[in-house]
Amino acid sequence: MSSKLNVLLIGAGGVGTIVAYGIDFVGKSNLSIVVRRDYERVKDKGYSIDSVDYGSLSGWKPQKIYSDIDAAADSRTPYNFVVVCTKNLADIVKMEDLVEPVITPEITSIVLMQNGFDLGRPFFTKYPKNVVISGVSHIGSHNHNGSIVQTQNDKSLISYFDNPNLEKSLQEAETKKFISIYSNEKNNCTYFPDAKWYRYRKLVYNATLNTVCALTGVDTGRLELSGGLESLSIPAMHEVIAIAKADDVELPGDVINAVVHSDDGDWFEPSMRVDVKKGNLLELEVILGNLLRVADELQVDAPILTVLYNLLKVVQFRLKESQGMFKLPEKRHVKDKIYK
Amino acid sequence: MSSKLNVLLIGAGGVGTIVAYGIDFVGKSNLSIVVRRDYERVKDKGYSIDSVDYGSLSGWKPQKIYSDIDAAADSRTPYNFVVVCTKNLADIVKMEDLVEPVITPEITSIVLMQNGFDLGRPFFTKYPKNVVISGVSHIGSHNHNGSIVQTQNDKSLISYFDNPNLEKSLQEAETKKFISIYSNEKNNCTYFPDAKWYRYRKLVYNATLNTVCALTGVDTGRLELSGGLESLSIPAMHEVIAIAKADDVELPGDVINAVVHSDDGDWFEPSMRVDVKKGNLLELEVILGNLLRVADELQVDAPILTVLYNLLKVVQFRLKESQGMFKLPEKRHVKDKIYK
């Protein structure tokens, strides 16, 4: 029996595969992964990876490969870490329910390498004594029909979502333990003490530029030239900053300027804009939905973000329909409701 | 020399051609038209029309056909009526400037058979002593490569935009004179006493369903099912009603219910949604822009309509670029501005 830690990674696509390889590269874990779409090929031939961090590899496989989470739960020893690298579509699948078969209470630490805000909350309710780790990854990596092409260094900031039922020191130690099995001389993985601050900082961009570009179909450069940056996104950034402040998070005084200038020189299309263009579902609930729930609890007005959220919910409905998630009748049903 | 009235119609497309034919059918006018895109074919072969009102016709021509407005201005006798049936894209071409060559002060009455709100105002400034007539057309008619196919009866409500420099009785008489040269036993053209009321009534639909559907890419049925009708469009209708009230226009108590149920049974795509889908420019300024200018003057808050307007201005920018109206450099220019 190995003294290594048992690690399960869920969602081995563009980003997840590089995270998995990084963990395997360190060599302190028994690494299993869940691969849905590419299961047969990966099981058979392993991964082909072309990586700025690790070079060109072919046929790489972790110790175990599962086609779904239930299969991964057959393992006799509990997982020390379950690392989730899927998209976070909380209006379709709740992450805390998805991972249930592989979580052992008090034992398994859950690592959410995902976009979004306030992701820990539903886990604290469902798994009150488990540590929930926050991973924010700045990486460029894509899955081209099973070939992973990583064009940008795997740079990640690892923190914990502060679980009120657990000591901070325990959560910090567990977070650093995860870093010790993932950080290596090829990637750039560091501890960041305050997940909440960092997630708010990211929202200054994601809640305001991602969303407006997704609705209007432009990149951030065209958004600036068309006037939308100043009429919509910057006022919306002030709403994010006000919610953060009411939530005891003080963002830097120059955060708006830094965020706007972060795309300097590029006609950059934010990920949510790309998702709409490609017909992919939006990570709307974990970006705007969670933020507006906090705003509501703290009684902070966010009129622009609220309109953006309500508009994007309609877009999400359209995207779900276009993905065949539901079908409408040819003749529209007439509601006898009286509208006021 | 004829005792008939001199009439010039600008924009003889799907709707304009049926209006022109209706005027010619009455036979009380010397009718000229301006046709830009189809000029050569119409000059040569006339119009082919398949009409629910007038039957099948081919080779119809009015008395004179011009390729542009300057050519139409060569006429030695002034026009009694200039009937404008073009789209109203006020951010691209100002209608009051476009028609200048064919307007004779104090003589020419200008008939705006166009979508939009508060269309008279710029004309009153530029032509203080001319009558400006409002025509709201409920017609289904399209131009298929020069063939006009009219599928829905030409039903129109004719009023005047109240010019503060002129007597109401004069404006009413002039409006009725226009009806007398246009109304016939085939169409359905009636006098409506209050253009302002009627244009506000139309905005309850156009400012709130057109706009939200244009931004989200759905029809009004899907808007209802996705929740956007109740989260966005109905609250926006209340904003329209509040602006109208501050502007001394009382809309009926059941207007919202009537507007919502007007599409019962249909998955109806409002015209602005169709425009975005086809890449056509939006009549944004005359629908939302003019309304929000009035709201601003009357100090009525319209937070949802304002966000919709600012978003659609970004969409309009994108549509202009896609139509080749401007070209951006490959490398984005960096502004050294400090954003706050």
Side-chain angles (χ1 to χ4, degrees), chain B residues 203-204 207-209 211-212 228-243 256 288 291 301-306 308:
Chain B
L203 279 184
V204 178
T208 67
L209 290 165
T211 52
V212 174
L229 173 68
E230 301 210 44
S231 69
L232 293 160
S233 295
I234 290 179
M237 288 176 195
H238 284 286
E239 295 181 2
V240 175
I241 292 166
I243 300 165
I256 289 176
L288 275 183
L291 176 65
D301 275 348
I304 297 174
L305 293 170
T306 301
L308 298 177

Side-chain angles (χ1 to χ4, degrees), chain A residues 78-127:
Chain A
Y79 291 108
N80 301 97
F81 291 100
V82 166
V83 185
V84 185
C85 297
T86 62
K87 266 184 107 165
N88 196 331
L89 302 169
D91 48 338
I92 297 167
V93 182
K94 292 194 187 309
M95 286 297 140
E96 65 277 17
D97 297 337
L98 180 81
V99 299
E100 189 169 6
V102 292
I103 305 300
T104 306
E106 299 189 45
I107 300 288
T108 310
S109 290
I110 300 141
V111 185
L112 301 175
M113 304 276 283
Q114 297 184 300
N115 273 328
F117 174 76
D118 201 21
L119 303 180
R121 190 195 297 215
F123 286 86
F124 303 156
T125 307
K126 189 164 182 126
Y127 313 107

Side-chain angles (χ1 to χ4, degrees), chain B residues 319-327:
Chain B
L319 294 169
K320 285 180 187 173
E321 184 184 14
S322 73
Q323 294 212 351
M325 293 178 69
F326 60 86
K327 205 164 155 45

Side-chain angles (χ1 to χ4, degrees), chain B residues 178-340:
Chain B
F178 174 68
I179 293 174
S180 77
I181 64 160
Y182 172 38
S183 174
N184 60 51
E185 75 264 25
K186 306 285 190 183
N187 64 18
N188 180 346
C189 167
T190 48
Y191 179 71
F192 190 86
D194 192 343
K196 189 169 150 186
W197 186 96
Y198 199 73
R199 297 266 175 179
Y200 266 117
R201 173 65 179 73
K202 279 203 79 177
L203 279 184
V204 178
Y205 191 108
N206 287 340
T208 67
L209 290 165
N210 258 295
T211 52
V212 174
C213 290
L215 282 165
T216 57
V218 298
D219 54 61
T220 54
R222 284 168 172 81
L223 186 70
E224 182 183 47
L225 292 174
S226 64
L229 173 68
E230 301 210 44
S231 69
L232 293 160
S233 295
I234 290 179
M237 288 176 195
H238 284 286
E239 295 181 2
V240 175
I241 292 166
I243 300 165
K245 197 178 174 98
D247 201 9
D248 297 322
V249 170
E250 196 71 41
L251 293 169
D254 68 342
V255 63
I256 289 176
N257 193 51
V259 162
V260 171
H261 281 294
S262 68
D263 291 338
D264 269 358
D266 295 323
W267 304 106
F268 183 73
E269 292 195 322
S271 59
M272 197 180 272
R273 156 67 186 142
V274 175
D275 281 336
V276 170
K277 192 158 76 171
K278 291 188 173 171
N280 294 333
L281 296 173
L282 311 178
E283 295 185 305
L284 177 61
E285 289 306 319
V286 295
I287 291 176
L288 275 183
N290 287 357
L291 176 65
L292 289 170
R293 275 183 281 280
V294 170
D296 192 50
E297 287 163 12
L298 301 173
Q299 301 186 301
V300 180
D301 275 348
I304 297 174
L305 293 170
T306 301
V307 174
L308 298 177
Y309 176 58
N310 287 325
L311 287 167
L312 286 166
K313 281 209 282 192
V314 180
V315 173
Q316 183 86 320
F317 177 95
R318 169 167 67 77
L319 294 169
K320 285 180 187 173
E321 184 184 14
S322 73
Q323 294 212 351
M325 293 178 69
F326 60 86
K327 205 164 155 45
L328 295 174
E330 203 169 310
K331 180 87 182 161
R332 180 180 168 195
H333 174 69
V334 175
K335 294 199 184 176
D336 53 11
K337 178 166 178 176
I338 294 171
Y339 290 96
K340 286 179 188 168

